[in-house]
């Protein structure tokens, strides 16, 4: 296994460092690859996130140790530009979405959006050193504007993108390990939302794209413009990967307002969607058990993932910085199991869950603390925080833009005029010239080598320049 290190960078590695042979050549060229840390020597997988910087999008990759803890390793140029959606006032969630960067363990590939270039980039993952990514081919047009969310099919042979700008909708690609992404015929399908490039939101913006569990349906979520609720758009996926001409519009149950992330409910023809205006929505495609469930005291519940070990869902709220564990029973009744405060004001956003051996670990971006929080999901109702990985100092040392922690970078507005609570409450002080919204999305690859998986995370940070 060849691992690289930049001699100039002494990054903050929070877990034990191995004595493996290191190769410095790769990182001397700083143009599009930056070294962030030494190999931990115990990597069971990797976590990835994008910086989404308007002057150059980077993927940041960290090792996941056998103990679930993270070690920052590399930053790799994504081959395009980031971009921030329009909010008034500006908020900490740049794309208003989940799934901006995704990986497939079946195919050993990773894809990211470049929202400011209207492109997508595809990388191979080195199975022996999963933070080592290599661009395949050139970035390709996303088939619309402001691409913000991605979904691989089960075997990693097809990638579908959700565009959220003035030209919005979906478009799918064949994954070619030599040529890169090749646009698939009859997959460019419009949503016809009245949107702008970049998108204006979060109300009225697209949220997430996923395949159904059986792979036969492609689903996109769209937030409402209160009081009008949002919806899911579902296209039938044909054998050849093409999509039905039109989508089926699926409304949330009464009370649903702003469907955000979608997490498939295993074994059911159903999806749990976070709802920024309420808590979460259950969409029952096969029956009539859809519901909209309130999380008391919630502010903006937007991101979610599922743990195989506990059988429960884990939802994050950017406003309260609380992780909410939810159980969905056989009748698709959703109930809150437990809540875990991550520290007031830390701004928890994207999250994902991986299985390492017999353990599940959850990774949460705490945007305002510039950390990734790692929780061990020991059993249902028994999550425990085991690491808070600081990113800012390491990134700064690696000369990676916009990872510096800005102090007092937000202030709370005294009056929230919106009919729902959202990160609008947080505003960046205009004296900071660079407002960096970093998208991190964790990926989990379980079908590959049992001990390996990838994670991607999405987040927002602010640079004080
Ligand atoms: C990485 O390893 C080298 C060589 O062992 C060491 O000098 C350096 O301090 C290490 N860097 C970090 C960030 O631990
Ligand atoms: C870095 O790599 C890029 C792309 O391979 C190349 O164009 C550039 O000249 C290299 N820069 C240095 C300083 O080696
Ligand atoms: C689209 O939205 C803009 C801004 O809200 C509005 O002025 C315009 O009338 C809308 N267009 C349509 C066709 O609804
Ligand atoms: C839901 O579906 C079940 C079984 O199909 C049926 O028995 C029940 O009456 C339905 N309930 C409602 C409220 O429609
Ligand atoms: C599901 O609903 C059925 C019929 O109403 C009931 O008998 C069963 O106990 C319910 N299961 C759970 C887990 O609540
Ligand atoms: C972010 O952190 C700063 C400094 O700790 C704090 O003053 C501010 O209230 C926090 N903002 C949010 C949105 O949590």
């Amino acid at each position: 296994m060849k691992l690289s290190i930049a001699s100039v960078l002494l990054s903050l590695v929070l877990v034990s460092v191995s004595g493996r042979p290191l190769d410095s050549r790769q990182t001397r060229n700083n143009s599009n690859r930056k070294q962030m840390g030494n190999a931990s020597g115990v990597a069971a997988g990797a976590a990835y996130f994008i910086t989404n910087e308007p002057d150059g999008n980077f993927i940041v990759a960290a090792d996941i140790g056998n103990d679930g803890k993270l070690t920052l390793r590399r930053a790799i140029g994504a081959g395009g530009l980031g971009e921030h959606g329009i909010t008034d006032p500006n908020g900490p969630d740049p794309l208003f979405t989940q799934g901006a960067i995704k990986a497939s363990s079946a195919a050993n590939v990773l894809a990211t959006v470049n929202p400011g270039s209207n492109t997508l980039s595809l990388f191979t993952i080195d199975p022996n050193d999963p933070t080592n990514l290599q661009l395949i081919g050139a970035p390709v047009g996303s088939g619309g504007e402001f691409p913000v969310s991605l979904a691989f099919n089960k075997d990693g042979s097809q990638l579908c993108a959700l565009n959220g700008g003035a030209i919005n909708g979906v478009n799918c690609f064949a994954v070619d390990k030599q040529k890169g992404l090749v646009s698939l015929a009859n997959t460019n399908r419009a949503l016809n939302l009245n949107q702008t490039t970049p998108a204006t939101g979060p109300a009225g913006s697209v949220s997430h794209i996923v395949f159904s569990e059986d792979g036969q349906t492609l689903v996109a979520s769209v937030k409402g413009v209160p009081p009008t609720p949002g919806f899911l758009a579902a296209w039938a996926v044909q054998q050849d990967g093409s999509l039905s001409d039109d989508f089926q519009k699926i409304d949330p149950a009464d009370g649903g307002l702003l469907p955000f992330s979608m997490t498939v409910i295993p074994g059911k023809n159903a999806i749990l969607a976070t709802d920024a205006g309420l808590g979460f929505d259950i969409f029952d495609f096969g029956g009539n058990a859809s519901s909209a469930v309130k999380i008391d005291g919630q502010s903006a519940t937007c991101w979610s993932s599922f743990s195989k070990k506990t059988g429960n869902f884990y939802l994050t709220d950017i406003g309260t910085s609380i992780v909410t564990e939810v159980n969905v029973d056989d009748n698709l009744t959703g109930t809150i199991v437990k809540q875990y405060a991550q520290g007031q004001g830390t701004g928890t956003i994207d999250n994902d869950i991986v299985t390492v051996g017999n353990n599940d670990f959850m990774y949460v971006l705490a945007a305002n603390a510039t950390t990734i929080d790692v929780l061990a999901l020991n059993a249902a109702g028994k999550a425990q925080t085991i690491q808070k990985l600081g990113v800012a100092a390491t990134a700064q040392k690696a000369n990676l833009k916009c990872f510096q922690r800005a102090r007092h970078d937000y202030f709370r507005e005294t009056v929230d005029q919106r009919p729902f609570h959202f990160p609008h409450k947080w505003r960046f002080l205009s004296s900071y010239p660079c407002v960096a919204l970093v998208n991190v999305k964790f990926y989990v690859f379980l079908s590959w080598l049992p001990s390996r998986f990838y994670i991607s995370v999405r987040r927002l940070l602010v640079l004080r320049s």
Side-chain angles (χ1 to χ4, degrees):
M1 173 152 58
K2 286 229 164 96
L3 303 172
S4 51
I5 176 184
S7 53
V8 291
L9 303 177
L10 292 176
S11 52
L12 303 181
V13 178
L14 299 186
V15 297
S16 62
V17 172
S18 80
R20 287 171 191 277
L22 301 168
D23 178 351
S24 64
R25 280 167 299 178
Q26 210 175 6
T27 53
R28 292 253 161 81
N29 187 332
N30 236 11
S31 62
N32 70 344
R33 297 180 80 90
K34 298 170 193 293
Q35 197 63 21
M36 299 186 76
N38 286 334
S40 64
V42 291
Y48 308 98
F49 59 91
I50 59 170
T51 63
N52 194 37
E53 273 303 292
D55 62 359
N57 188 17
F58 272 82
I59 298 164
V60 178
D63 282 344
I64 296 174
N66 287 322
D67 56 2
K69 292 180 181 173
L70 296 179
T71 306
L72 290 170
R73 290 287 307 286
R74 296 178 164 99
I76 302 108
L81 307 179
E83 189 167 39
H84 310 152
I86 301 164
T87 60
D88 181 22
N90 209 348
D93 179 20
L95 303 178
F96 324 125
T97 65
Q98 180 162 323
I101 170 171
K102 283 293 217 183
S104 166
S105 59
N108 283 342
V109 289
L110 173 143
T112 182
V113 299
N114 298 303
S117 308
N118 303 328
T119 61
L120 315 175
S121 300
L122 182 73
F123 294 81
T124 51
I125 295 166
D126 176 354
N128 294 316
D129 184 8
T131 64
N132 186 16
L133 304 175
Q134 300 293 337
L135 185 67
I136 314 175
V140 296
S142 65
E145 292 180 353
F146 201 56
V148 286
S149 185
L150 298 169
F152 278 107
N153 66 350
K154 208 159 264 177
D155 67 5
S157 62
Q158 183 171 351
L159 178 78
C160 295
L162 177 61
N163 289 292
I167 302 173
N168 52 74
V170 299
N171 196 53
C172 300
F173 301 81
V175 174
D176 185 308
K177 298 287 268 291
Q178 267 71 49
K179 293 184 220 152
L181 296 170
V182 181
S183 195
L184 275 174
N186 302 315
T187 63
N188 192 294
R189 299 291 184 249
L191 275 166
N192 293 317
L193 302 175
N194 183 14
Q195 261 293 355
T196 54
T197 299
T200 304
S205 63
V206 302
S207 306
H208 199 190
I209 185 171
V210 297
F211 281 93
S212 60
E213 194 172 27
D214 64 9
Q216 290 176 22
T217 309
L218 182 71
V219 190
S221 49
V222 179
K223 294 168 216 75
V225 181
T228 307
F231 61 95
L232 303 190
W235 289 267
V237 182
Q238 318 299 336
Q239 283 293 322
D240 63 359
S242 64
L243 304 178
S244 54
D245 290 346
D246 299 314
F247 62 83
Q248 187 193 345
K249 183 171 179 254
I250 303 164
D251 296 319
D254 272 359
L257 195 58
L258 298 153
F260 205 106
S261 70
M262 294 180 286
T263 302
V264 164
I265 302 173
K268 307 280 178 186
N269 190 10
I271 276 175
L272 179 148
T274 51
D275 190 315
L278 179 79
F280 62 93
D281 305 323
I282 289 173
F283 289 88
D284 179 10
F285 299 127
N288 57 12
S290 292
S291 61
V293 182
K294 189 167 187 253
I295 298 178
D296 283 330
Q298 79 102 35
S299 172
T301 309
C302 302
W303 300 273
S304 59
S305 32
F306 175 77
S307 165
K308 281 192 173 170
K309 175 162 180 167
T310 69
N312 289 338
F313 296 81
Y314 295 80
L315 286 46
T316 46
D317 183 325
I318 188 174
T320 62
S321 301
I322 286 173
V323 173
T324 299
E325 181 176 349
V326 167
N327 180 264
V328 177
D329 74 12
D330 252 10
N331 295 335
L332 294 179
T333 302
T335 49
I336 295 165
V337 175
K338 193 161 178 187
Q339 294 192 300
Y340 308 90
Q342 294 307 296
Q344 205 171 12
T346 59
T348 51
I349 54 173
D350 282 63
N351 68 74
D352 212 336
I353 293 170
V354 296
T355 302
V356 184
N358 293 322
N359 300 305
D360 273 14
F361 297 98
M362 178 182 190
Y363 301 86
V364 181
L365 281 170
N368 197 39
T370 323
T371 65
I372 300 176
D373 297 353
V374 184
L375 283 76
L377 306 180
N378 301 311
K382 292 202 162 25
Q384 188 188 8
T385 302
I386 58 166
Q387 185 188 18
K388 286 180 182 279
L389 173 70
V391 178
T394 309
Q396 188 179 4
K397 284 181 184 161
N399 199 24
L400 187 63
K401 202 172 166 203
C402 283
F403 267 85
Q404 291 172 26
R405 173 72 187 278
R407 297 181 84 77
H408 313 298
D409 39 9
Y410 316 113
F411 67 87
R412 187 168 192 148
E413 288 189 69
T414 49
V415 180
D416 181 7
Q417 298 156 330
R418 313 245 165 180
F420 57 99
H421 299 278
F422 213 61
H424 291 90
K425 284 190 283 191
W426 313 110
R427 164 187 267 172
F428 294 98
L429 293 181
S430 55
S431 56
Y432 296 106
C434 174
V435 177
L437 307 179
V438 181
N439 282 331
V440 187
K441 185 86 228 162
F442 281 98
Y443 269 88
V444 185
F445 293 167
L446 297 170
S447 57
W448 183 37
L449 298 179
S451 63
R452 295 184 188 280
F453 42 77
Y454 304 97
I455 285 187
S456 62
V457 186
R458 160 170 171 279
R459 78 166 297 168
L460 156 101
L461 295 167
V462 177
L463 170 70
R464 167 187 236 161
S465 72

